Amino acid sequence: MSTEFSLSYFLLATRSLAQRELVRFYRQKSRMAGVIGSPLVFWFLIGSGLSGSFRHPSAPPEMNYLEYFFPGTIVLIILFTSIFSTMSIIEDRKEGFLQSVIVAPVPRGAIAMGKLLGGTALALFQALLLLVLTPFLGIALDALEADKVICAALGDHIAEAYLAEKRAEWDVYKAQVHEWEIDEYMERF
């Protein structure tokens, strides 16, 4: 068996299992709601409840507790996704799917890599979904850029690209909106 053939065989098996993870996730509506809803409810309830009594000494004066707690919520989403991905292995075993994959003529590394890439793609997508919502949640891009934990978790390249894109969108928005609208509505949102 040639190296090129075995590599393409490995990648095909990996892609197939990763794609199966994504399809399974999107077919289970309760799992989608649990993975995204739980951290958001946790963020909102804990963030709102503690906002009056908690003030971090190094936080800027204009930052509220919901903004301070937001990066932790993203980490919670990634954590919940990894837990659910681990649970999917147990479900695969109960349903007999794992047994049929193990006896298939695919490399064992492809099985592990497929499950790993599927779970990673889900976690990244959900964290990015929440990051896309940040302008609507009133969180400034400067605060996101100053958060070293999130920037490190995303990686320098993704964090810089995201911040550059959002700043470019903001510049286009400011160029198309009258100055009065910015002054009037920015205080509300």
Side-chain angles (χ1 to χ4, degrees):
M1 186 184 309
S2 72
T3 306
E4 181 180 310
F5 178 74
S6 64
L7 179 63
S8 65
Y9 194 60
F10 180 86
L11 293 176
L12 176 65
T14 300
R15 186 180 68 88
S16 299
L17 287 171
Q19 186 175 7
R20 179 182 181 274
E21 283 294 307
L22 297 175
V23 169
R24 269 186 78 196
F25 176 77
Y26 291 111
R27 286 186 180 167
Q28 297 174 346
K29 301 298 181 200
S30 61
R31 187 173 164 197
M32 285 177 60
V35 167
I36 296 174
S38 298
L40 286 177
V41 168
F42 183 70
W43 170 71
F44 184 72
L45 291 178
I46 299 293
S48 298
L50 294 177
S51 63
S53 61
F54 181 79
R55 182 89 195 127
H56 195 275
S58 65
E62 67 275 357
M63 179 182 272
N64 64 30
Y65 186 67
L66 285 174
E67 292 172 348
Y68 175 78
F69 193 54
F70 187 75
T73 304
I74 293 175
V75 172
L76 278 176
I77 287 176
I78 294 170
L79 178 68
F80 275 108
T81 304
S82 66
I83 291 169
F84 280 114
S85 292
T86 303
M87 289 172 50
S88 76
I89 294 173
I90 296 168
E91 290 173 4
D92 286 346
R93 184 174 172 223
K94 280 184 184 176
E95 295 169 0
F97 178 77
L98 189 61
Q99 183 67 26
S100 60
V101 170
I102 289 175
V103 298
V106 297
R108 302 296 178 250
I111 297 170
M113 187 64 72
K115 295 295 267 183
L116 180 71
L117 287 178
T120 302
L122 287 172
L124 183 62
F125 173 73
Q126 291 164 5
L128 288 176
L129 179 68
L130 194 59
L131 278 176
V132 166
L133 296 175
T134 55
F136 302 111
L137 298 173
I139 297 175
L141 292 174
D142 294 335
L144 179 63
E145 186 175 27
D147 191 332
K148 302 300 181 206
V149 174
I150 293 297
C151 290
L154 289 174
D156 293 335
H157 181 69
I158 292 175
E160 289 172 10
Y162 176 77
L163 288 168
E165 179 63 30
K166 288 299 169 187
R167 283 197 169 88
E169 287 177 11
W170 178 244
D171 290 341
V172 168
Y173 175 76
K174 287 191 304 187
Q176 295 175 356
V177 175
H178 191 272
E179 192 66 35
W180 176 85
E181 290 175 304
I182 294 173
D183 294 337
E184 180 69 22
Y185 297 116
M186 284 306 291
E187 289 299 317
R188 292 184 196 173
F189 304 108

